[in-house]
Short mmCIF file of all heavy atoms in Angstrom, two decimals:
data_model
loop_
_atom_site.label_atom_id
_atom_site.label_comp_id
_atom_site.label_asym_id
_atom_site.label_seq_id
_atom_site.Cartn_x
_atom_site.Cartn_y
_atom_site.Cartn_z
N PHE A 932 7.96 -0.97 15.69
CA PHE A 932 6.91 -0.60 16.64
C PHE A 932 7.54 0.08 17.85
O PHE A 932 8.54 -0.42 18.38
CB PHE A 932 6.12 -1.82 17.12
CG PHE A 932 5.52 -2.65 16.02
CD1 PHE A 932 5.73 -4.02 15.97
CD2 PHE A 932 4.75 -2.07 15.02
CE1 PHE A 932 5.18 -4.80 14.96
CE2 PHE A 932 4.20 -2.85 14.01
CZ PHE A 932 4.41 -4.21 13.98
N LEU A 933 6.94 1.15 18.31
CA LEU A 933 7.39 1.85 19.50
C LEU A 933 6.28 1.78 20.55
O LEU A 933 5.11 1.97 20.23
CB LEU A 933 7.71 3.30 19.17
CG LEU A 933 8.30 4.14 20.31
CD1 LEU A 933 9.68 3.64 20.71
CD2 LEU A 933 8.37 5.61 19.90
N ALA A 934 6.66 1.52 21.81
CA ALA A 934 5.66 1.39 22.86
C ALA A 934 6.29 1.71 24.22
O ALA A 934 7.50 1.95 24.31
CB ALA A 934 5.11 -0.04 22.86
N MET A 935 5.44 1.76 25.22
CA MET A 935 5.89 1.91 26.60
C MET A 935 5.18 0.87 27.47
O MET A 935 4.11 0.38 27.12
CB MET A 935 5.57 3.30 27.15
CG MET A 935 6.36 4.42 26.51
SD MET A 935 6.12 6.02 27.38
CE MET A 935 7.18 5.78 28.81
N THR A 936 5.78 0.59 28.59
CA THR A 936 5.10 -0.27 29.56
C THR A 936 4.09 0.58 30.34
O THR A 936 4.19 1.80 30.41
CB THR A 936 6.11 -0.89 30.54
OG1 THR A 936 6.89 0.17 31.10
CG2 THR A 936 7.03 -1.86 29.83
N LYS A 937 3.11 -0.09 30.92
CA LYS A 937 2.05 0.59 31.67
C LYS A 937 1.26 -0.47 32.41
O LYS A 937 1.08 -1.57 31.91
CB LYS A 937 1.13 1.34 30.70
CG LYS A 937 0.01 2.13 31.35
CD LYS A 937 -0.81 2.83 30.27
CE LYS A 937 -2.09 3.39 30.84
NZ LYS A 937 -1.86 4.54 31.73
N ARG A 938 0.82 -0.13 33.59
CA ARG A 938 0.03 -1.10 34.34
C ARG A 938 -1.34 -1.26 33.68
O ARG A 938 -1.97 -0.29 33.28
CB ARG A 938 -0.12 -0.61 35.77
CG ARG A 938 -0.63 -1.67 36.72
CD ARG A 938 -0.32 -1.30 38.16
NE ARG A 938 1.12 -1.31 38.39
CZ ARG A 938 1.68 -0.84 39.51
NH1 ARG A 938 0.94 -0.32 40.45
NH2 ARG A 938 2.99 -0.88 39.65
N SER A 939 -1.83 -2.49 33.57
CA SER A 939 -3.12 -2.73 32.94
C SER A 939 -4.26 -2.16 33.78
O SER A 939 -4.20 -2.14 35.01
CB SER A 939 -3.36 -4.24 32.77
OG SER A 939 -4.67 -4.47 32.28
N MET A 940 -5.28 -1.70 33.10
CA MET A 940 -6.47 -1.22 33.81
C MET A 940 -7.44 -2.36 34.12
O MET A 940 -8.41 -2.17 34.83
CB MET A 940 -7.17 -0.14 33.00
CG MET A 940 -7.69 -0.58 31.65
SD MET A 940 -8.33 0.79 30.67
CE MET A 940 -9.75 1.29 31.63
N TYR A 941 -7.16 -3.53 33.57
CA TYR A 941 -8.03 -4.68 33.83
C TYR A 941 -7.39 -5.57 34.88
O TYR A 941 -6.19 -5.79 34.88
CB TYR A 941 -8.29 -5.48 32.56
CG TYR A 941 -8.89 -4.61 31.50
CD1 TYR A 941 -8.15 -4.19 30.42
CD2 TYR A 941 -10.19 -4.11 31.66
CE1 TYR A 941 -8.67 -3.33 29.48
CE2 TYR A 941 -10.73 -3.25 30.72
CZ TYR A 941 -9.96 -2.86 29.64
OH TYR A 941 -10.49 -2.00 28.72
N ILE A 942 -8.21 -6.07 35.78
CA ILE A 942 -7.72 -6.91 36.85
C ILE A 942 -7.77 -8.36 36.40
O ILE A 942 -8.82 -8.84 35.94
CB ILE A 942 -8.58 -6.73 38.12
CG1 ILE A 942 -8.54 -5.27 38.55
CG2 ILE A 942 -8.10 -7.66 39.23
CD1 ILE A 942 -9.67 -4.90 39.49
N ASP A 943 -6.65 -9.04 36.47
CA ASP A 943 -6.63 -10.47 36.19
C ASP A 943 -6.87 -11.18 37.51
O ASP A 943 -6.00 -11.26 38.36
CB ASP A 943 -5.27 -10.86 35.61
CG ASP A 943 -5.19 -12.36 35.36
OD1 ASP A 943 -6.13 -13.08 35.76
OD2 ASP A 943 -4.19 -12.80 34.76
N LYS A 944 -8.08 -11.70 37.66
CA LYS A 944 -8.46 -12.23 38.97
C LYS A 944 -7.66 -13.48 39.34
O LYS A 944 -7.55 -13.84 40.50
CB LYS A 944 -9.96 -12.50 39.00
CG LYS A 944 -10.75 -11.19 39.03
CD LYS A 944 -12.18 -11.34 38.56
CE LYS A 944 -12.85 -9.97 38.50
NZ LYS A 944 -14.04 -9.96 37.65
N LEU A 945 -7.15 -14.16 38.36
CA LEU A 945 -6.38 -15.39 38.63
C LEU A 945 -4.88 -15.11 38.60
O LEU A 945 -4.11 -15.66 39.36
CB LEU A 945 -6.73 -16.45 37.59
CG LEU A 945 -8.23 -16.80 37.59
CD1 LEU A 945 -8.55 -17.73 36.42
CD2 LEU A 945 -8.63 -17.44 38.91
N ASP A 946 -4.50 -14.29 37.66
CA ASP A 946 -3.16 -13.71 37.57
C ASP A 946 -2.00 -14.56 37.08
O ASP A 946 -0.91 -14.04 36.95
CB ASP A 946 -2.80 -13.07 38.92
CG ASP A 946 -1.71 -12.03 38.72
OD1 ASP A 946 -1.27 -11.84 37.56
OD2 ASP A 946 -1.28 -11.44 39.67
#
Side-chain angles (χ1 to χ4, degrees):
Chain A
F932 305 129
L933 184 66
M935 291 189 78
T936 53
K937 182 180 168 70
R938 194 161 293 170
S939 174
M940 62 187 294
Y941 303 106
I942 301 161
D943 177 353
K944 289 159 185 161
L945 301 173
D946 202 0

